[in-house]
Amino acid sequence: MVSKDGRGSRYQVSGGAVLHGSVRISGSANAALASMCAALLTDETVVLENVPAVSDIDSLASLLVHLGATVDRPHPNRIEINASKVGTLQAPIDLVSENRASFQVMGPLLSRHGFAALPPPGGDVIGQRPIAVHLDGFEAMGATIDRVGEHYQARAPKGLVGTRIFADYPSVSGTQNVMLAATLARGKTTIVNAATEPEVQAIATLLNSMGASISGVGTQVITVEGVDRLQGTTFALVPDRIEAGTFAIAAAMTGGDVELVQAPVTVMDAMITKLRAAGAIVEARESSLRVTAGSRLLPVGFQALPYPGLPTDLHAPMGALLTQADGVSIIHERVFDNRMLYVDELRKMGAEIVSTGSSAIVSGPTPLHGARTRAVDVRAGAAVLLAGLAASGTTVVDDIYHLDRKYECLDEKLRALGAELERV
Ligand code: EPU
């Protein structure tokens, strides 16, 4: 079981193992988080299946309980949420600062109860993470937003009213939050420049199964026809495309041969294309991917972009992979402005990477050696862990509570594939 107690834990990795076998991909952590917030929109029970047992889910569950919801977990991968007794419409900073998804309770609370007061959300330190898309969207629907002390106070005592909203940036959580709020608004809401990420699509599918009327899902223009009430549902989370990408990279990087069972193949085009360009053999079936390392890794350039581009959450793991490619690779990060913190960690292990602002140049192949490293954030942590698998000697990865936030049973899954690592 993972929890905040994971702080202070580290992984100790003995490099050199070749990964073989099959691994089952867990449900999407980010989609699960937003889905839990969606449960606040109804007084009936929402049952979420295929929820990954990761610590961000635990901290968001604590926030929902604080608000007055009941959160039952009959099984680590099943959560049953009933929000009929929600009565607390504001939250203290310690419950919101644990992760970014916590701010997604604002849309549902405001829409259903006419009020919400939340401090700014936490989350990884990967660049500026404004919430203007969320707040501007609520204001456009008639809410007033005030900053009172550390809280954003949002009020809509007469309810939200649908309107046409242009999002300054196709923010993933911003689109989700506004869409959540719009389900119970009066009339039609149109979100222009909406995010198209699979995690946004998943929330729309969940909301529609609760009785919402959302169309344009997966496009940059989402339309929500407001309804009077939503009902409970049972909903299975889509597989986690970032976890799948991480294991795919691990297979290619260790010279391995790994089957990813229940991989979300149809939303992984960018990843599959780049892995093939890097020389890996990727066999895509309906819901599984087999990744086999080729005879040598080739350099590839990539840009981390909004969906369907290569996800920013796979930038750092891809950077680790390219240290083993034969030649020079160029990386451009186009989503966040501080995604390069993993570079220094990889350099401790012998990687030759130069980063300037949002770009990096990786020269390879460089033999990596064990070192004492840190998981600076979730995905930077995944990058150093993967590098540790390919390095000679022992790598220590400190602060692995970051990895616990989004990766379910990461060490167990890697060990089952032959990796030598332990949690200390
Ligand atoms: N942005 C704005 N204005 C806003 C909001 C965002 O300009 O009002 C910009 C940000 O500055 C950033 C970009 O939009 O440059 C992307 O931010 P976005 O709001 O889309 O990200 P997010 O919703 O905070 C989610 C995931 C992240 C993932 C990003 C991008 C969750 C809980 N988090 O964050 O996941 O990297 O979308 O795909 O869903 C992770 O899983 O490790 C992770 C960080």
Side-chain angles (χ1 to χ4, degrees), residues 64-113:
L64 297 189
V65 168
H66 166 87
L67 299 174
T70 55
V71 180
D72 292 321
R73 195 100 172 249
H75 177 271
N77 300 120
R78 180 183 168 99
I79 295 194
E80 300 172 358
I81 303 168
N82 185 290
S84 58
K85 298 209 166 60
V86 163
T88 306
L89 302 177
Q90 70 172 48
I93 198 151
D94 56 314
L95 284 175
V96 179
S97 63
E98 284 292 319
N99 62 56
R100 193 135 196 98
S102 52
F103 205 72
Q104 317 259 74
V105 304
M106 185 173 264
L109 291 181
L110 183 62
S111 187
R112 188 161 159 230
H113 303 277

Side-chain angles (χ1 to χ4, degrees), residues 94-263:
D94 56 314
L95 284 175
V96 179
S97 63
E98 284 292 319
N99 62 56
R100 193 135 196 98
S102 52
F103 205 72
Q104 317 259 74
V105 304
M106 185 173 264
L109 291 181
L110 183 62
S111 187
R112 188 161 159 230
H113 303 277
F115 182 83
L118 296 173
D124 284 322
V125 182
I126 50 181
Q128 291 182 56
R129 303 191 73 179
I131 43 174
V133 168
H134 310 230
L135 300 178
D136 291 352
F138 301 146
E139 272 187 330
M141 285 190 275
T144 52
I145 314 273
D146 295 302
R147 188 76 195 249
V148 181
E150 65 186 14
H151 286 76
Y152 287 100
Q153 248 182 32
R155 287 172 199 280
K158 294 186 184 150
L160 295 172
V161 182
T163 186
R164 191 170 174 93
I165 296 169
F166 172 74
D168 260 347
Y169 187 99
S171 159
V172 173
S173 52
T175 303
Q176 290 170 334
N177 218 346
V178 173
M179 192 167 71
L180 288 162
T183 55
L184 293 179
R186 280 197 304 287
K188 178 165 103 176
T189 303
T190 305
I191 309 171
V192 181
N193 201 22
T196 60
E197 267 69 4
E199 296 75 22
V200 176
Q201 299 179 33
I203 301 316
T205 308
L206 163 65
L207 290 168
N208 281 341
S209 80
M210 293 167 68
S213 174
I214 304 175
S215 54
V217 179
T219 76
Q220 289 161 312
V221 182
I222 292 177
T223 305
V224 186
E225 295 284 354
V227 295
D228 290 339
R229 61 179 297 278
L230 295 174
Q231 74 234 7
T233 191
T234 297
F235 183 75
L237 269 307
V238 291
D240 195 309
R241 64 194 171 109
I242 308 301
E243 188 201 19
T246 306
F247 278 103
I249 293 168
M253 194 164 173
T254 59
D257 181 357
V258 174
E259 183 173 25
L260 314 180
V261 179
Q262 283 178 35

